[in-house]
Amino acid sequence: MIQREYYMKQIRPFINTDLIKVLTGIRRSGKSVMLQLIQEELLSQQVRPDQMISLNFEDLANLPLCQPMALYQWIADKAAAIKGKIYIFLDEIQEVTNWERVINSLRVAFDVDIYLTGSNAKLLSGELSTYLAGRYVQFVIYPFSYQEFILANQLDDTPQAFQKYLLFGGMPFLMNLHFQEGPSRQYLQDMYNSVILKDIVQRNNLRDVDLLERIIGYALSSIGHVFSASNITKYLKSEHRKVSNDTVLNYLNACTTAYLFYKIPRQDLLGKKLLSINEKYYVVDHGLREAVYGHNARDIDQILENIVCLELLRRGYTVTIGKTGNFEVDFIAEKGNRKCYVQVTYLLASPETIEREFRVYKDIKDNYPKYVVSMDELDFSQDGIQHYNIRKFLRLPRDY
């Protein structure tokens, strides 16, 4: 079991506080393993195993506990027999009706340290904001980064290892399949179907699954390209499907809520404002795209961009696309008082390509770090703009 120390460093300061720890992210990204790692951390701090109460609501045996009063009474009975602080771990909590009331009641009634996981971004909206406002902290758990990928598989950082990452992506369970292509593809396809059914269709009461899959297919093919809802409606019209822009946006929002896609807005660097149209969408895991849509090798520019975007999000940056005049910077990453710009391309194969990728920074006069990232092994840094091979960039220290 890989330790995922980056997340543990974030969580440790909140252990044994009365803040509720909420771990969110796409299904099977490793949230359940994170709960196990937290339990191991507590055991190392001399917490007794009998002080821990743990439930996974995807286990059919726990179906009777998905009603709020049944869950509260079951945990209350267990808690009454425990001496000392009680540690509660509830996996896929969104399966419980009115779970927010249960958590708030437990927090009030007992000396508890509570950890939750969920596969829906709306987990922290609605009633939770009312019942637990200011009393929770959220951690988004992503599939393996490239760094985690090579550690988990005991690989050296080589071009061959990166090619393997390009093909399979970072879903943690694949290491159990030893990254065999057939079984790995089948697992990712099954996972995709599970996300579609449980986290998008059922949770949002969507009735037109065929329409949803067409919209997802369009978004997968357009990774890293700006598009609007009207682009999709025109595409669907060409396929004899009449649908409104609002319906397309609702379906895309359901996908982002389930963490299948991340929507990245654009900003005008010269006008200092966010642009309200033509965002970009990136998929949570490029291996999932290969299994469902294919063509990662053909669309290598898009895939490299997707990998860098997810790495920036994974590191806690707020990410936007930068527009400056007629040029566009792939990513502006901001966190606190830190900021950097990142331009991603496949290869700097000619003087014209080098000129194109570096000149996007011409009108940006600030002194924040500016990067060009590609698969080239040679260093093309110039004029204070740093060039990195993508493998090296992905393994840089956490704060650029």
Side-chain angles (χ1 to χ4, degrees), residues 347-370:
L347 291 172
L348 298 170
S350 67
E352 292 76 19
T353 305
I354 295 171
E355 164 66 18
R356 183 186 69 233
E357 299 300 334
F358 281 83
R359 75 182 176 187
V360 298
Y361 294 126
K362 180 180 177 181
D363 294 326
I364 304 174
K365 304 301 183 183
D366 62 39
N367 294 317
Y368 291 109
K370 300 172 180 67

Side-chain angles (χ1 to χ4, degrees), residues 19 22 65 77 81 84 95 117 141 158 331 338 344 392 399:
L19 289 174
V22 184
L65 298 179
D77 290 344
E95 301 299 329
T117 80
I141 309 301
T158 63
F331 303 116
R338 290 185 292 274
V344 185
K392 184 175 180 182
D399 294 324

Side-chain angles (χ1 to χ4, degrees), residues 109-309:
F110 299 97
D111 180 16
V112 290
D113 188 9
I114 300 176
Y115 301 82
L116 313 175
T117 80
S119 301
N120 194 285
K122 289 184 179 177
L123 198 67
L124 297 182
S125 64
E127 288 191 352
L128 181 54
S129 299
T130 301
Y131 286 105
L132 301 171
R135 299 191 180 95
Y136 63 81
V137 59
Q138 180 187 19
F139 308 92
V140 180
I141 309 301
Y142 295 88
F144 282 164
S145 66
Y146 176 60
Q147 178 89 323
E148 289 178 314
F149 177 85
I150 60 176
L151 286 173
N153 295 287
Q154 300 179 333
L155 299 172
D156 294 326
D157 176 22
T158 63
Q160 292 74 24
F162 188 70
Q163 287 294 333
K164 198 171 186 178
Y165 185 62
L166 280 174
L167 177 63
F168 292 106
M171 296 309 297
F173 187 80
L174 293 186
M175 58 187 295
N176 297 316
L177 301 176
H178 308 292
F179 293 92
Q180 300 174 73
E181 187 165 351
S184 296
R185 184 180 295 272
Q186 181 179 343
Y187 169 80
L188 290 171
Q189 290 171 343
D190 290 345
M191 178 203 152
Y192 168 79
N193 292 331
S194 181
V195 170
I196 293 293
L197 178 63
K198 293 185 178 180
D199 299 325
I200 301 179
V201 173
Q202 291 180 356
R203 191 146 302 279
N204 296 279
N205 296 315
L206 301 183
R207 287 176 287 185
D208 196 335
V209 178
D210 177 70
L211 175 62
L212 172 67
E213 293 187 331
R214 288 171 185 263
I215 291 172
I216 291 173
Y218 186 97
L220 287 173
S221 70
S222 303
I223 289 299
H225 295 161
V226 294
F227 65 86
S228 64
S230 63
N231 294 134
I232 299 181
T233 56
K234 290 175 183 176
Y235 159 73
L236 291 171
K237 186 177 180 180
S238 72
E239 295 202 336
H240 310 291
R241 291 296 306 264
K242 188 175 181 180
V243 62
S244 70
N245 288 351
D246 285 344
T247 298
V248 170
L249 286 174
N250 288 337
Y251 277 51
L252 283 173
N253 288 338
C255 292
T256 58
T257 297
Y259 294 102
L260 179 62
F261 292 113
Y262 287 85
K263 181 173 72 174
I264 307 298
R266 298 164 71 226
Q267 66 167 295
D268 187 334
L269 290 171
L270 302 182
K272 307 294 185 183
K273 63 179 181 180
L274 284 177
L275 302 172
S276 58
I277 59 172
N278 291 345
E279 302 95 346
K280 291 186 179 184
Y281 286 81
Y282 294 91
V283 67
V284 67
D285 181 72
H286 56 281
L288 192 62
R289 181 189 189 268
E290 173 66 25
V292 173
Y293 176 76
H295 308 302
N296 277 8
R298 183 195 67 187
D299 303 331
I300 186 66
D301 287 82
Q302 294 171 256
I303 301 308
L304 297 180
E305 200 172 307
N306 200 100
I307 289 171
V308 170
C309 179

